[in-house]
Amino acid sequence: MYQAMTSLGHAADSTYVGPIELPGDPKGASILILGAGLAGMVAALELRKAGYKVKVLEYQKRAGGRNWTLRGGDSYVELGGARQDCAFDEGLYINPGPWRIPFHHRALLDYCKRLGVRLEPFIQLNFNSYLHASTAFGGKPQRFRHVLADYHGRVTELLAKAVNADRLDDEVSAQDKEVLLASLRAWGTLDRDYSYRPGYFSSEVRGYEKAPGGGVDGAPLPSTPLAFEDVLSSRLWRHLSLPLQHDFQHTMFQPVGGMDMIGKAFFREVGDVIEFGAKVTAIRQNENGVTVTYVSDGAEGVRQASADWCLCTIPLSILSQIELDVGAPMRAAIDAVPYAASLKIGLQFKRRFWEEDEAIYGGISYTDLPIAQISYPSTDYHKPGKGVLLGAYSFGLPATEFTSMTPAERVALAVENGAQLHPQYREEFENGIAVAWHRVPWTLGCFGLWNTATRAAHYQNLCAIDGRIVLAGEHASYVNAWQEGAILSSLDAITRLHKRVVTGK
Amino acid sequence: MTRGSKISRALDVRALRRCLLVFTTPIALAAWVGATVGTAQSANFLSTMTRYPESSGEALYDAICQGCHMADAKGSTGAGSYPALAADSKLEAAGYALLVVVQGQKAMPSFGYALSDEQIAAVVNYVRTHFDNDYKDEVTVADVEAARR
């Protein structure tokens, strides 16, 4: 199969080889799945189909896990007790967790297809969005296309100078030299003399000072590039390569109506086997099976569930605190993975000013302010009425600092930051909702942070089947923080587990 | 701490970032906005980004620790818990507190990369003498240096 995929040019993009096949009879074996996120629900769907008796325990009152969408009317209570009531208008939302799907996340896309989840484009790269450095260009945000054109233009100009001065003769043959110069001219939009300057060539990429128009006054005026030293010292160039990276290359997708359409689609398939409001406190195993103790937030109090096998998708941030009968290697692996800080803030405005005033349709602006990113909705362009944008998406230190604020403080800071890119914020802002992932009661963090050393020491031990228990989730993958990682991990875990069940090995 | 002062503290963070400019390298940024690869958590990423600007123990606690351990240091519980640091007998061993801050522990990330020795000493001393903790033996910068090894 892998060979066939490779010959079609598919396999290099993904390790997914199509719908899972679980041949052989599990002879009525039962499995307890912990967690109703994507990893857990993929396993429930596929194992039930393969003949297992399946039960899922979920801490929350909803399925989907980090596959999550907040809409008007939703309320969210974070650790520490702060409650936020989302006041977005009908049809407006943010995805606090995953929000975009690369074209090569084939497992997730395949489930979207099989479960009838409608997709639409997610705009990652918008040449008209802003790049902003608070100390550069007087704090004025620059259009992505200006920084792109001017960086490429000046760098290719420098390179062409070096080639023309015979400085690269050791590296480039005389024959290749001409081709290289032609390519530099084309790529950098250089003039015939290989200079990057205000003119029609450069304006074809960076846009015109006065755009080409119609009729008597239709003649355009070329635009003037930014000073190269300013482009360099602003460091705005660091944002140029992101949309070229494989994880962010177009085409990217989002489900129509919110990311949780995926979780809801899985829930339609396996909702009947999920018990909600179950807080797992202990996972015990012996040679005969697995017993899980949990506190039900119903009237029942402490309960137990038993099965022949257990697939545990509980985030390691929580699993590391649960009594668990596994060997020292898996225990050490569970304890070895810290969880990342991350923050998202959705902001509602009275109108879609980014479209009306600035012709920004989807995409992301980047800034060195704590909010790090502003992302504009990829859908419903020109829709009259209010609009919601993603007013912050940060990691690391600023996300940690945001986490330490109250939700109202986070929203206020996001508005203050964002107004430096869009002064309209001050007039148009209405309300916001902030999710800091370390405060999320059912994950205590955003995603598992591996490094080279912890991978080498612990990753295999985390993934190995321990007696009757196997783990799955984005943390048990190399596609961390992505839904694809959760699904690929789950498919791998149940494939190995099923083999053990039917062959005894 | 009032809301206003917390916001102005946050704005100070921004001011600091203005001075430093460098958020991260493109590769490390990609690692953070999407899949975390290899060394995403290593100094490779964050040491080029910035350091926390606060210097007093109290300010450091408010900016960093309270995100999980809460303003009253009593922790919080959902599907799992953040332990209380208030009235915490484990803090009697100063070296233990230092190690947790420098290296992290289980799901708690390390903070050694983003804090100076002085900052780590300040925040550890603050927690060990507040929130119903009363451990008078102060940790020193030399202790932090030792904990980093």
Side-chain angles (χ1 to χ4, degrees):
Chain A
M1 186 66 176
Y2 185 82
Q3 202 171 14
M5 296 286 288
T6 308
S7 65
L8 293 169
H10 290 165
D13 260 343
S14 169
T15 58
Y16 183 64
V17 292
I20 189 172
E21 288 164 23
L22 298 172
D25 184 358
K27 301 194 174 105
S30 59
I31 184 157
L32 200 48
I33 296 170
L34 306 181
L38 293 197
M41 289 196 288
V42 161
L45 180 102
E46 301 294 356
L47 290 174
R48 181 158 70 173
K49 201 189 292 177
Y52 289 80
K53 290 185 210 134
V54 175
K55 181 181 173 72
V56 182
L57 297 178
E58 166 57 44
Y59 173 79
Q60 291 194 77
K61 298 285 182 58
R62 55 166 275 273
R66 281 164 275 186
N67 175 290
W68 183 24
T69 300
L70 283 170
R71 302 179 178 82
D74 290 339
S75 65
Y76 163 57
V77 180
E78 66 176 34
L79 288 174
R83 175 190 167 119
Q84 297 178 77
D85 295 306
C86 186
F88 295 164
D89 270 28
E90 174 92 34
L92 302 177
Y93 66 86
I94 62 157
N95 298 312
W99 59 320
R100 53 192 164 186
I101 306 172
F103 67 88
H104 50 86
H105 282 188
R106 290 176 171 270
L108 178 59
L109 288 171
D110 195 26
Y111 277 104
C112 288
K113 189 174 174 182
R114 284 154 63 189
L115 300 180
V117 177
R118 288 177 59 218
L119 300 175
E120 61 192 1
F122 173 94
I123 309 300
Q124 169 70 40
L125 168 60
N126 182 341
F127 292 87
N128 208 37
S129 68
Y130 290 121
L131 301 180
H132 175 249
S134 37
T135 54
F137 303 107
K140 189 172 180 287
Q142 303 298 309
R143 299 283 189 179
F144 188 98
R145 67 175 192 279
H146 291 164
V147 179
L148 178 83
D150 298 348
Y151 179 76
H152 282 168
R154 294 299 186 195
V155 169
T156 50
E157 181 188 64
L158 286 173
L159 194 47
K161 270 184 190 159
V163 172
N164 277 323
D166 305 329
R167 302 283 284 277
L168 295 177
D169 283 4
D170 290 347
E171 310 284 336
V172 184
S173 71
Q175 202 176 357
D176 287 346
K177 209 164 148 177
E178 268 185 51
V179 184
L180 175 59
L181 283 168
S183 76
L184 292 174
R185 249 187 80 193
W187 181 246
T189 58
L190 307 182
D191 274 355
R192 282 182 213 293
D193 64 353
Y194 301 103
S195 66
Y196 182 72
R197 61 163 65 106
Y200 297 107
F201 288 138
S202 56
S203 294
E204 284 296 308
V205 177
R206 71 189 317 285
Y208 288 82
E209 180 69 33
K210 174 172 172 281
V216 292
D217 197 26
L221 287 174
S223 60
T224 303
L226 303 165
F228 189 42
E229 56 270 30
D230 293 343
V231 172
L232 283 180
S233 65
S234 73
R235 297 182 183 271
L236 292 179
W237 40 261
R238 72 192 190 277
H239 303 295
L240 297 175
S241 60
L242 186 81
L244 304 181
Q245 299 198 5
H246 195 224
D247 282 341
F248 305 99
Q249 288 171 3
H250 280 164
T251 306
M252 301 199 84
F253 300 99
Q254 63 183 15
V256 175
M259 188 56 84
D260 71 350
M261 293 301 169
I262 298 175
K264 286 175 173 170
F266 274 106
F267 179 73
R268 281 196 292 274
E269 300 288 325
V270 300
D272 57 315
V273 296
I274 302 173
E275 179 176 337
F276 290 109
K279 176 176 171 171
V280 172
T281 56
I283 304 166
R284 300 288 185 204
Q285 65 168 323
N286 59 31
E287 59 276 15
N288 299 316
V290 181
T291 298
V292 171
T293 304
Y294 60 100
V295 179
S296 170
D297 68 356
E300 299 89 350
V302 176
R303 304 186 68 184
Q304 287 195 322
S306 297
D308 300 322
W309 305 92
C310 176
L311 178 96
C312 177
T313 72
I314 297 173
L316 303 180
S317 47
I318 292 160
L319 188 59
S320 59
Q321 303 182 23
I322 292 174
E323 289 179 47
L324 174 65
D325 282 343
V326 293
M330 183 182 274
R331 168 54 69 188
I334 290 167
D335 289 349
V337 183
Y339 268 59
S342 176
L343 164 104
K344 275 189 180 168
I345 298 177
L347 302 174
Q348 176 166 295
F349 295 91
K350 292 173 196 157
R351 63 186 182 95
R352 296 167 74 108
F353 61 80
W354 50 94
E355 295 174 5
E356 294 173 4
D357 303 352
E358 293 163 290
I360 296 175
Y361 296 94
I364 303 172
S365 289
Y366 293 90
T367 171
D368 60 354
L369 298 173
I371 55 170
Q373 306 181 46
I374 296 173
S375 177
Y376 315 92
S378 291
T379 187
D380 284 337
Y381 302 129
H382 289 171
K383 192 173 181 183
K386 295 169 184 183
V388 163
L389 53 66
L390 187 71
Y393 183 23
S394 56
F395 294 88
L397 280 68
T400 299
E401 292 162 330
F402 266 118
T403 305
S404 291
M405 301 175 189
T406 68
E409 290 167 349
R410 295 175 201 144
V411 170
L413 181 58
V415 171
E416 192 279 339
N417 274 192
Q420 296 183 49
L421 283 79
H422 299 285
Q424 301 98 318
Y425 265 49
R426 298 191 180 94
E427 284 295 311
E428 311 291 353
F429 168 71
E430 286 198 335
N431 63 70
I433 188 162
V435 175
W437 277 91
H438 269 122
R439 288 277 180 115
V440 173
W442 35 273
T443 58
L444 277 67
C446 191
F447 57 91
L449 282 167
W450 290 94
N451 61 39
T452 312
T454 54
R455 283 268 190 218
H458 299 294
Y459 182 75
Q460 291 300 327
N461 294 333
L462 189 81
C463 295
I465 299 172
D466 185 305
R468 292 175 168 273
I469 296 170
V470 65
L471 309 186
E474 62 82 25
H475 48 273
S477 81
Y478 275 75
V479 199
N480 297 114
W482 293 92
Q483 297 173 106
E484 181 79 352
I487 293 179
L488 292 177
S489 159
S490 182
L491 293 174
D492 176 68
I494 63 176
T495 301
R496 286 181 288 121
L497 193 69
H498 179 69
K499 187 177 168 212
R500 180 165 295 193
V501 171
V502 296
T503 67
K505 287 184 271 193
Chain B
M1 196 173 201
T2 66
R3 173 169 301 173
S5 68
K6 271 197 200 163
I7 290 287
S8 62
R9 186 262 304 154
L11 299 179
D12 289 341
V13 175
R14 199 193 70 226
L16 177 91
R17 220 151 270 134
R18 282 204 191 106
C19 304
L20 292 171
L21 271 175
V22 182
F23 184 75
T24 174
T25 66
I27 287 170
L29 180 67
W32 272 77
V33 296
T36 303
V37 294
T39 55
Q41 208 217 347
S42 74
N44 200 16
F45 165 61
L46 287 161
S47 67
T48 58
M49 175 182 174
T50 184
R51 297 228 166 185
Y52 289 101
E54 298 81 7
S55 55
S56 77
E58 181 180 11
L60 287 160
Y61 185 89
D62 287 347
I64 305 172
C65 314
Q66 74 154 306
C68 295
H69 296 284
M70 304 295 151
D72 59 6
K74 289 184 176 167
S76 187
T77 295
S81 294
Y82 291 122
L85 302 178
D88 183 2
S89 59
K90 284 185 185 169
L91 293 175
E92 184 174 356
Y96 164 80
L98 275 179
L99 272 183
V100 172
V101 173
V102 170
Q103 298 179 1
Q105 187 183 64
K106 294 189 175 178
M108 175 175 159
S110 65
F111 287 89
Y113 62 84
L115 295 170
S116 68
D117 293 350
E118 290 77 8
Q119 287 172 308
I120 291 173
V123 75
V124 167
N125 286 331
Y126 176 74
V127 174
R128 292 182 77 241
T129 53
H130 291 76
F131 310 116
D132 293 327
N133 298 307
D134 194 20
Y135 303 107
K136 300 251 193 292
D137 54 319
E138 291 207 341
V139 302
T140 63
V141 166
D143 296 330
V144 182
E145 280 171 20
R148 285 187 192 276
R149 279 182 218 123

